[in-house]
Amino acid sequence: MPRKKILQLLREKVVGTNAVHNPNVYLVKKPTKKPIVKTWGRTIEPPSNFVIGDGVEVAFIDHMPGANFEHRVQYAFINEQNEVVHIEEATTPPDDLDDNFNKVSLDD
């Protein structure tokens, strides 16, 4: 599985460090060189000094699955090559969740 390292980074640097529950985690279908996420009238992106490299993986972490939104969610921008993860806190899902993200299991 080519994304095994991405899942490991999410477990170690994002979800595993601050979750006492079982959040839903979604990963963008393919890495992007333009890691910009549109969400309910807001744009979420990593800082300008974040190294894009060969492409960035974007993860959406829903900390209250099944609840209506306007609750804690996170976006993780992951550079697999240098193992850098940047996290942005938010309260709404990406506009393109159904089209461009797949739900993943961090237990794999």
Side-chain angles (χ1 to χ4, degrees):
M1 166 180 266
R3 292 183 139 185
K4 187 174 183 177
K5 186 174 184 181
I6 295 297
L7 297 177
Q8 178 185 350
L9 288 169
L10 279 168
R11 264 193 312 273
E12 292 174 0
K13 298 190 177 204
V14 183
V15 177
T17 61
N18 61 8
V20 295
H21 56 289
N22 190 22
N24 283 346
V25 179
Y26 300 83
L27 195 57
V28 72
K29 290 182 179 176
K30 61 184 180 179
T32 179
K33 290 198 178 241
K34 295 183 181 184
I36 297 171
V37 180
K38 302 272 189 206
T39 173
W40 297 20
R42 180 176 171 209
T43 300
I44 297 174
E45 58 190 305
S48 59
N49 63 348
F50 187 84
V51 177
I52 302 298
D54 293 335
V56 174
E57 298 276 356
V58 181
F60 167 66
I61 300 103
D62 181 357
H63 287 279
M64 294 179 69
N68 289 329
F69 279 96
E70 293 296 332
H71 63 262
R72 181 174 181 241
V73 301
Q74 292 177 306
Y75 290 88
F77 298 91
I78 307 155
N79 179 321
E80 182 179 12
Q81 291 83 25
N82 63 8
E83 298 188 8
V84 172
V85 178
H86 174 77
I87 301 166
E88 287 287 330
E89 298 285 335
T91 60
T92 55
D95 290 347
D96 61 353
L97 181 63
D98 293 333
D99 294 332
N100 290 322
F101 289 80
N102 289 321
K103 188 174 178 184
V104 296
S105 171
L106 296 183
D107 296 330
D108 294 341

